[in-house]
PDB file of all heavy atoms in Angstrom:
ATOM      1  N   GLY A  13      65.635 142.679  83.891  1.00 98.00           N
ATOM      2  CA  GLY A  13      65.895 141.383  83.270  1.00 98.00           C
ATOM      3  C   GLY A  13      64.699 141.008  82.419  1.00 98.00           C
ATOM      4  O   GLY A  13      63.554 141.304  82.782  1.00 98.00           O
ATOM      5  N   VAL A  14      64.966 140.377  81.271  1.00 98.00           N
ATOM      6  CA  VAL A  14      63.898 139.993  80.353  1.00 98.00           C
ATOM      7  C   VAL A  14      64.088 138.540  79.928  1.00 98.00           C
ATOM      8  O   VAL A  14      65.209 138.109  79.639  1.00 98.00           O
ATOM      9  CB  VAL A  14      63.898 140.900  79.088  1.00 98.00           C
ATOM     10  CG1 VAL A  14      62.857 140.435  78.078  1.00 98.00           C
ATOM     11  CG2 VAL A  14      63.639 142.349  79.474  1.00 98.00           C
ATOM     12  N   ASP A  15      62.992 137.792  79.889  1.00 98.00           N
ATOM     13  CA  ASP A  15      63.042 136.412  79.398  1.00 98.00           C
ATOM     14  C   ASP A  15      61.731 136.097  78.690  1.00 98.00           C
ATOM     15  O   ASP A  15      60.747 136.822  78.830  1.00 98.00           O
ATOM     16  CB  ASP A  15      63.273 135.436  80.555  1.00 98.00           C
ATOM     17  CG  ASP A  15      63.826 134.082  80.073  1.00 98.00           C
ATOM     18  OD1 ASP A  15      64.056 133.912  78.857  1.00 98.00           O
ATOM     19  OD2 ASP A  15      64.027 133.199  80.928  1.00 98.00           O
ATOM     20  N   VAL A  27      55.197 134.495  75.315  1.00 98.00           N
ATOM     21  CA  VAL A  27      55.019 135.404  76.458  1.00 98.00           C
ATOM     22  C   VAL A  27      56.386 135.816  76.993  1.00 98.00           C
ATOM     23  O   VAL A  27      57.266 134.979  77.175  1.00 98.00           O
ATOM     24  CB  VAL A  27      54.188 134.728  77.577  1.00 98.00           C
ATOM     25  CG1 VAL A  27      54.088 135.636  78.801  1.00 98.00           C
ATOM     26  CG2 VAL A  27      52.797 134.386  77.064  1.00 98.00           C
ATOM     27  N   THR A  28      56.546 137.115  77.224  1.00 98.00           N
ATOM     28  CA  THR A  28      57.794 137.628  77.782  1.00 98.00           C
ATOM     29  C   THR A  28      57.487 138.400  79.063  1.00 98.00           C
ATOM     30  O   THR A  28      56.347 138.819  79.284  1.00 98.00           O
ATOM     31  CB  THR A  28      58.503 138.584  76.794  1.00 98.00           C
ATOM     32  OG1 THR A  28      57.602 139.652  76.466  1.00 98.00           O
ATOM     33  CG2 THR A  28      58.917 137.860  75.523  1.00 98.00           C
ATOM     34  N   ALA A  29      58.510 138.563  79.882  1.00 98.00           N
ATOM     35  CA  ALA A  29      58.363 139.398  81.077  1.00 98.00           C
ATOM     36  C   ALA A  29      59.615 140.232  81.245  1.00 98.00           C
ATOM     37  O   ALA A  29      60.715 139.813  80.852  1.00 98.00           O
ATOM     38  CB  ALA A  29      58.133 138.538  82.323  1.00 98.00           C
ATOM     39  N   ALA A  30      59.442 141.419  81.793  1.00 98.00           N
ATOM     40  CA  ALA A  30      60.558 142.291  82.171  1.00 98.00           C
ATOM     41  C   ALA A  30      60.387 142.612  83.649  1.00 98.00           C
ATOM     42  O   ALA A  30      59.275 142.902  84.099  1.00 98.00           O
ATOM     43  CB  ALA A  30      60.541 143.574  81.340  1.00 98.00           C
ATOM     44  N   VAL A  31      61.482 142.530  84.401  1.00 98.00           N
ATOM     45  CA  VAL A  31      61.417 142.757  85.848  1.00 98.00           C
ATOM     46  C   VAL A  31      62.581 143.640  86.292  1.00 98.00           C
ATOM     47  O   VAL A  31      63.735 143.419  85.893  1.00 98.00           O
ATOM     48  CB  VAL A  31      61.484 141.411  86.625  1.00 98.00           C
ATOM     49  CG1 VAL A  31      61.469 141.666  88.139  1.00 98.00           C
ATOM     50  CG2 VAL A  31      60.329 140.495  86.244  1.00 98.00           C
ATOM     51  N   TRP A  67      57.396 145.493  87.047  1.00 98.00           N
ATOM     52  CA  TRP A  67      57.356 144.279  86.228  1.00 98.00           C
ATOM     53  C   TRP A  67      56.306 144.469  85.145  1.00 98.00           C
ATOM     54  O   TRP A  67      55.384 145.279  85.282  1.00 98.00           O
ATOM     55  CB  TRP A  67      57.053 143.031  87.073  1.00 98.00           C
ATOM     56  CG  TRP A  67      55.728 143.051  87.766  1.00 98.00           C
ATOM     57  CD1 TRP A  67      55.455 143.573  89.000  1.00 98.00           C
ATOM     58  CD2 TRP A  67      54.483 142.584  87.236  1.00 98.00           C
ATOM     59  NE1 TRP A  67      54.117 143.443  89.287  1.00 98.00           N
ATOM     60  CE2 TRP A  67      53.490 142.837  88.219  1.00 98.00           C
ATOM     61  CE3 TRP A  67      54.097 141.976  86.044  1.00 98.00           C
ATOM     62  CZ2 TRP A  67      52.155 142.512  88.038  1.00 98.00           C
ATOM     63  CZ3 TRP A  67      52.763 141.636  85.860  1.00 98.00           C
ATOM     64  CH2 TRP A  67      51.813 141.912  86.857  1.00 98.00           C
ATOM     65  N   SER A  68      56.472 143.736  84.061  1.00 98.00           N
ATOM     66  CA  SER A  68      55.557 143.875  82.942  1.00 98.00           C
ATOM     67  C   SER A  68      55.562 142.586  82.131  1.00 98.00           C
ATOM     68  O   SER A  68      56.592 141.914  82.030  1.00 98.00           O
ATOM     69  CB  SER A  68      56.011 145.051  82.067  1.00 98.00           C
ATOM     70  OG  SER A  68      55.324 145.075  80.834  1.00 98.00           O
ATOM     71  N   ILE A  69      54.413 142.255  81.560  1.00 98.00           N
ATOM     72  CA  ILE A  69      54.294 141.090  80.668  1.00 98.00           C
ATOM     73  C   ILE A  69      54.128 141.608  79.240  1.00 98.00           C
ATOM     74  O   ILE A  69      53.365 142.547  79.003  1.00 98.00           O
ATOM     75  CB  ILE A  69      53.065 140.225  81.049  1.00 98.00           C
ATOM     76  CG1 ILE A  69      53.185 139.686  82.487  1.00 98.00           C
ATOM     77  CG2 ILE A  69      52.862 139.086  80.046  1.00 98.00           C
ATOM     78  CD1 ILE A  69      54.255 138.648  82.704  1.00 98.00           C
ATOM     79  N   GLY A  70      54.847 140.995  78.321  1.00 98.00           N
ATOM     80  CA  GLY A  70      54.679 141.304  76.901  1.00 98.00           C
ATOM     81  C   GLY A  70      54.304 140.023  76.174  1.00 98.00           C
ATOM     82  O   GLY A  70      54.503 138.930  76.689  1.00 98.00           O
ATOM     83  N   ARG A  71      53.787 140.154  74.965  1.00 98.00           N
ATOM     84  CA  ARG A  71      53.408 138.953  74.225  1.00 98.00           C
ATOM     85  C   ARG A  71      53.365 139.249  72.743  1.00 98.00           C
ATOM     86  O   ARG A  71      53.301 140.405  72.326  1.00 98.00           O
ATOM     87  CB  ARG A  71      52.059 138.429  74.701  1.00 98.00           C
ATOM     88  CG  ARG A  71      50.925 139.411  74.527  1.00 98.00           C
ATOM     89  CD  ARG A  71      49.599 138.888  75.095  1.00 98.00           C
ATOM     90  NE  ARG A  71      49.646 138.678  76.533  1.00 98.00           N
ATOM     91  CZ  ARG A  71      49.636 137.493  77.125  1.00 98.00           C
ATOM     92  NH1 ARG A  71      49.563 136.383  76.413  1.00 98.00           N
ATOM     93  NH2 ARG A  71      49.668 137.386  78.427  1.00 98.00           N
ATOM     94  N   THR A  86      59.268 137.049  69.038  1.00 98.00           N
ATOM     95  CA  THR A  86      59.808 137.042  70.410  1.00 98.00           C
ATOM     96  C   THR A  86      60.472 138.381  70.722  1.00 98.00           C
ATOM     97  O   THR A  86      60.293 138.941  71.811  1.00 98.00           O
ATOM     98  CB  THR A  86      60.816 135.886  70.588  1.00 98.00           C
ATOM     99  OG1 THR A  86      60.149 134.651  70.304  1.00 98.00           O
ATOM    100  CG2 THR A  86      61.367 135.837  72.010  1.00 98.00           C
ATOM    101  N   MET A  87      61.237 138.914  69.773  1.00 98.00           N
ATOM    102  CA  MET A  87      61.885 140.224  69.973  1.00 98.00           C
ATOM    103  C   MET A  87      60.827 141.314  70.183  1.00 98.00           C
ATOM    104  O   MET A  87      60.969 142.184  71.047  1.00 98.00           O
ATOM    105  CB  MET A  87      62.774 140.566  68.770  1.00 98.00           C
ATOM    106  CG  MET A  87      63.965 139.650  68.579  1.00 98.00           C
ATOM    107  SD  MET A  87      65.199 139.804  69.901  1.00 98.00           S
ATOM    108  CE  MET A  87      65.439 138.085  70.330  1.00 98.00           C
ATOM    109  N   LEU A  88      59.737 141.256  69.396  1.00 98.00           N
ATOM    110  CA  LEU A  88      58.646 142.218  69.537  1.00 98.00           C
ATOM    111  C   LEU A  88      58.012 142.108  70.923  1.00 98.00           C
ATOM    112  O   LEU A  88      57.745 143.117  71.588  1.00 98.00           O
ATOM    113  CB  LEU A  88      57.602 141.965  68.445  1.00 98.00           C
ATOM    114  CG  LEU A  88      56.328 142.827  68.494  1.00 98.00           C
ATOM    115  CD1 LEU A  88      56.652 144.297  68.288  1.00 98.00           C
ATOM    116  CD2 LEU A  88      55.328 142.343  67.434  1.00 98.00           C
ATOM    117  N   ALA A  89      57.779 140.870  71.379  1.00 98.00           N
ATOM    118  CA  ALA A  89      57.184 140.659  72.703  1.00 98.00           C
ATOM    119  C   ALA A  89      58.103 141.188  73.804  1.00 98.00           C
ATOM    120  O   ALA A  89      57.642 141.741  74.806  1.00 98.00           O
ATOM    121  CB  ALA A  89      56.890 139.178  72.907  1.00 98.00           C
ATOM    122  N   MET A  90      59.425 141.024  73.617  1.00 98.00           N
ATOM    123  CA  MET A  90      60.383 141.562  74.598  1.00 98.00           C
ATOM    124  C   MET A  90      60.337 143.094  74.612  1.00 98.00           C
ATOM    125  O   MET A  90      60.360 143.711  75.686  1.00 98.00           O
ATOM    126  CB  MET A  90      61.790 141.076  74.275  1.00 98.00           C
ATOM    127  CG  MET A  90      62.020 139.617  74.615  1.00 98.00           C
ATOM    128  SD  MET A  90      63.734 139.115  74.236  1.00 98.00           S
ATOM    129  CE  MET A  90      63.772 137.475  75.018  1.00 98.00           C
ATOM    130  N   GLN A  91      60.261 143.703  73.437  1.00 98.00           N
ATOM    131  CA  GLN A  91      60.145 145.172  73.368  1.00 98.00           C
ATOM    132  C   GLN A  91      58.891 145.632  74.115  1.00 98.00           C
ATOM    133  O   GLN A  91      58.919 146.632  74.845  1.00 98.00           O
ATOM    134  CB  GLN A  91      60.083 145.630  71.908  1.00 98.00           C
ATOM    135  CG  GLN A  91      61.399 145.487  71.161  1.00 98.00           C
ATOM    136  CD  GLN A  91      61.249 145.690  69.658  1.00 98.00           C
ATOM    137  OE1 GLN A  91      60.187 145.426  69.079  1.00 98.00           O
ATOM    138  NE2 GLN A  91      62.297 146.150  69.018  1.00 98.00           N
ATOM    139  N   ARG A  92      57.801 144.904  73.930  1.00 98.00           N
ATOM    140  CA  ARG A  92      56.545 145.270  74.596  1.00 98.00           C
ATOM    141  C   ARG A  92      56.655 145.142  76.116  1.00 98.00           C
ATOM    142  O   ARG A  92      56.104 145.960  76.857  1.00 98.00           O
ATOM    143  CB  ARG A  92      55.411 144.389  74.069  1.00 98.00           C
ATOM    144  CG  ARG A  92      54.994 144.746  72.654  1.00 98.00           C
ATOM    145  CD  ARG A  92      54.046 143.737  72.046  1.00 98.00           C
ATOM    146  NE  ARG A  92      53.552 144.210  70.760  1.00 98.00           N
ATOM    147  CZ  ARG A  92      52.932 143.449  69.873  1.00 98.00           C
ATOM    148  NH1 ARG A  92      52.726 142.159  70.130  1.00 98.00           N
ATOM    149  NH2 ARG A  92      52.522 143.953  68.726  1.00 98.00           N
ATOM    150  N   ALA A  93      57.346 144.099  76.583  1.00 98.00           N
ATOM    151  CA  ALA A  93      57.513 143.923  78.033  1.00 98.00           C
ATOM    152  C   ALA A  93      58.313 145.081  78.627  1.00 98.00           C
ATOM    153  O   ALA A  93      57.940 145.644  79.659  1.00 98.00           O
ATOM    154  CB  ALA A  93      58.192 142.587  78.330  1.00 98.00           C
ATOM    155  N   VAL A  94      59.406 145.457  77.959  1.00 98.00           N
ATOM    156  CA  VAL A  94      60.242 146.570  78.469  1.00 98.00           C
ATOM    157  C   VAL A  94      59.457 147.879  78.416  1.00 98.00           C
ATOM    158  O   VAL A  94      59.469 148.664  79.366  1.00 98.00           O
ATOM    159  CB  VAL A  94      61.564 146.673  77.671  1.00 98.00           C
ATOM    160  CG1 VAL A  94      62.355 147.921  78.075  1.00 98.00           C
ATOM    161  CG2 VAL A  94      62.417 145.417  77.891  1.00 98.00           C
ATOM    162  N   ALA A  95      58.734 148.105  77.311  1.00 98.00           N
ATOM    163  CA  ALA A  95      57.946 149.346  77.165  1.00 98.00           C
ATOM    164  C   ALA A  95      56.846 149.432  78.213  1.00 98.00           C
ATOM    165  O   ALA A  95      56.436 150.528  78.607  1.00 98.00           O
ATOM    166  CB  ALA A  95      57.343 149.417  75.766  1.00 98.00           C
ATOM    167  N   GLY A  96      56.372 148.283  78.695  1.00 98.00           N
ATOM    168  CA  GLY A  96      55.283 148.258  79.671  1.00 98.00           C
ATOM    169  C   GLY A  96      55.708 148.506  81.106  1.00 98.00           C
ATOM    170  O   GLY A  96      54.865 148.637  81.996  1.00 98.00           O
ATOM    171  N   LEU A  97      57.020 148.569  81.351  1.00 98.00           N
ATOM    172  CA  LEU A  97      57.497 148.809  82.723  1.00 98.00           C
ATOM    173  C   LEU A  97      57.104 150.207  83.184  1.00 98.00           C
ATOM    174  O   LEU A  97      57.152 151.164  82.405  1.00 98.00           O
ATOM    175  CB  LEU A  97      59.027 148.669  82.785  1.00 98.00           C
ATOM    176  CG  LEU A  97      59.578 147.241  82.668  1.00 98.00           C
ATOM    177  CD1 LEU A  97      61.077 147.272  82.390  1.00 98.00           C
ATOM    178  CD2 LEU A  97      59.283 146.432  83.925  1.00 98.00           C
ATOM    179  N   SER A  98      56.757 150.332  84.460  1.00 98.00           N
ATOM    180  CA  SER A  98      56.354 151.637  85.000  1.00 98.00           C
ATOM    181  C   SER A  98      57.553 152.552  85.265  1.00 98.00           C
ATOM    182  O   SER A  98      57.395 153.738  85.508  1.00 98.00           O
ATOM    183  CB  SER A  98      55.561 151.444  86.289  1.00 98.00           C
ATOM    184  OG  SER A  98      56.348 150.746  87.236  1.00 98.00           O
ATOM    185  N   MET A  99      58.769 151.992  85.219  1.00 97.00           N
ATOM    186  CA  MET A  99      60.003 152.785  85.342  1.00 97.00           C
ATOM    187  C   MET A  99      60.875 152.413  84.151  1.00 97.00           C
ATOM    188  O   MET A  99      60.824 151.294  83.673  1.00 97.00           O
ATOM    189  CB  MET A  99      60.777 152.415  86.614  1.00 97.00           C
ATOM    190  CG  MET A  99      59.944 152.304  87.850  1.00 97.00           C
ATOM    191  SD  MET A  99      60.867 151.492  89.178  1.00 97.00           S
ATOM    192  CE  MET A  99      61.919 152.809  89.683  1.00 97.00           C
ATOM    193  N   PRO A 101      64.281 151.353  82.677  1.00 98.00           N
ATOM    194  CA  PRO A 101      65.603 150.863  83.096  1.00 98.00           C
ATOM    195  C   PRO A 101      66.724 151.534  82.298  1.00 98.00           C
ATOM    196  O   PRO A 101      66.502 152.001  81.177  1.00 98.00           O
ATOM    197  CB  PRO A 101      65.536 149.361  82.786  1.00 98.00           C
ATOM    198  CG  PRO A 101      64.509 149.239  81.709  1.00 98.00           C
ATOM    199  CD  PRO A 101      63.531 150.356  81.912  1.00 98.00           C
ATOM    200  N   LEU A 114      66.203 148.205  71.525  1.00 98.00           N
ATOM    201  CA  LEU A 114      65.621 148.901  72.679  1.00 98.00           C
ATOM    202  C   LEU A 114      66.214 150.308  72.766  1.00 98.00           C
ATOM    203  O   LEU A 114      67.330 150.545  72.298  1.00 98.00           O
ATOM    204  CB  LEU A 114      65.930 148.133  73.976  1.00 98.00           C
ATOM    205  CG  LEU A 114      65.240 146.769  74.151  1.00 98.00           C
ATOM    206  CD1 LEU A 114      65.825 146.035  75.346  1.00 98.00           C
ATOM    207  CD2 LEU A 114      63.730 146.927  74.311  1.00 98.00           C
TER     208      LEU A 114
END
Side-chain angles (χ1 to χ4, degrees):
V14 176
D15 200 2
V27 176
T28 57
V31 178
W67 62 272
S68 168
I69 299 291
R71 60 184 63 250
T86 301
M87 295 293 130
L88 176 64
M90 286 181 170
Q91 289 169 331
R92 287 170 173 166
V94 173
L97 288 166
S98 59
M99 314 166 76
L114 292 170

